[in-house]
Amino acid sequence: MVYYEIDINSNRDYCQDEINQVKERIWMPELEKDEQKARNMRCFIEATRKLIEEGGIGKVSIRKISEKAGLHNSTIYLYFKDVEQLILFASLKYFTAYTRMLQNISPAASPEETFFVVWSAFGQTVFEKGDIFYNFFFGKYSQNLTPIFRQYYELYPDEAPHYSSDIEEMYYGNNIQERCLKILHPLSGIASVRVNDQNIELVNEIIVSCLKELMMDKRANPDLDPTALNEKLLRMIQYVVGYTGNLDPQKLARISVGYEQYIQ
């Protein structure tokens, strides 16, 4: 390794260009190292995603990922804890339709409307890929999702969504319980529902339990219709929060352009 040194005690006057050149030589290896790390991580994520598409998450292994990526299997552990964490990174690509719907929610929507549009978009997404999203929200690393989201969008900045502050706080929640609670809070105390500060934690637990049960049904019976499951989930949530308004899909479509495109 070559070392560069500027002698601050020298009588020589260093010009700024010379100083900048030395700085570039010092930092370039570190920058190249970061870029190589990002390239390798994306390579492993893309390989994992292809394997998921080919055979589902149950067929993914470190050996298959390394073969698909064309890199040694030990390299994976420089960037990911294990295959389960790598699968989580690869799973985030399947959020694309969901993120688009969230970005298109009308700012004029009421708290109730926003709540049910978010849940409807979420349900339609997760029931399409039952195994993938059950693992994501109820698997090994499901209680520490925020850093997964953050790092993924650093690797894929073009996919990073842009939300209102309330939606962003929910989207980057650390686990499914926290995410659900964030979107439930705006309903607390509203006359059209029976959610309040005293029961909100219990209401949230019931909603998450309903979601988990339906996702387990989808895993056990892959042929179950995602739309029918989502409609059932919405009816459950509607009952739990005590909302008596209209949840007609066309009404939800008017609130989110992305949702309208998704259901067509």
Side-chain angles (χ1 to χ4, degrees), residues 8 34 45-46 101 105 128 143 146-147 151 158 171 174 187 197 208 212 215 244:
I8 61 175
D34 290 343
I45 290 170
E46 295 301 326
M101 286 183 272
I105 294 176
E128 287 284 350
Q143 295 302 305
T146 301
Q151 189 168 15
D158 291 342
Y171 185 78
N174 212 32
L187 297 190
D197 292 344
V208 172
K212 185 175 183 179
M215 292 184 73
T244 58

Side-chain angles (χ1 to χ4, degrees), residues 19-74:
I19 295 173
N20 289 340
Q21 288 173 15
V22 171
K23 287 182 178 178
E24 287 178 5
R25 292 190 186 104
I26 293 172
W27 289 107
M28 192 61 70
E30 194 65 33
L31 291 173
E32 290 175 352
K33 182 179 178 181
D34 290 343
E35 291 171 0
Q36 183 62 48
K37 174 183 176 180
R39 282 196 297 270
N40 286 348
M41 289 185 72
R42 285 192 292 267
C43 186
F44 285 129
I45 290 170
E46 295 301 326
T48 305
R49 189 174 293 151
K50 290 177 182 177
L51 289 171
I52 291 173
E53 288 293 327
E54 292 170 4
I57 62 175
K59 300 295 183 180
V60 177
S61 68
I62 291 293
R63 179 183 60 80
K64 290 180 180 179
I65 294 170
S66 62
E67 289 176 355
K68 180 78 73 174
L71 296 168
H72 196 274
N73 56 13
S74 63

Side-chain angles (χ1 to χ4, degrees), residues 111 115 178-190 195-197 200-201 204:
F115 176 79
E178 183 178 306
R179 290 167 63 96
C180 296
L181 190 59
K182 295 289 187 185
I183 201 64
L184 184 60
H185 265 299
L187 297 190
S188 182
I190 291 179
V195 180
N196 54 54
D197 292 344
I200 192 169
E201 296 280 353
N204 193 58

Side-chain angles (χ1 to χ4, degrees), residues 152-164:
Y152 178 86
Y153 290 124
E154 287 177 5
L155 293 169
Y156 297 94
D158 291 342
E159 295 182 25
H162 303 283
Y163 301 131
S164 66

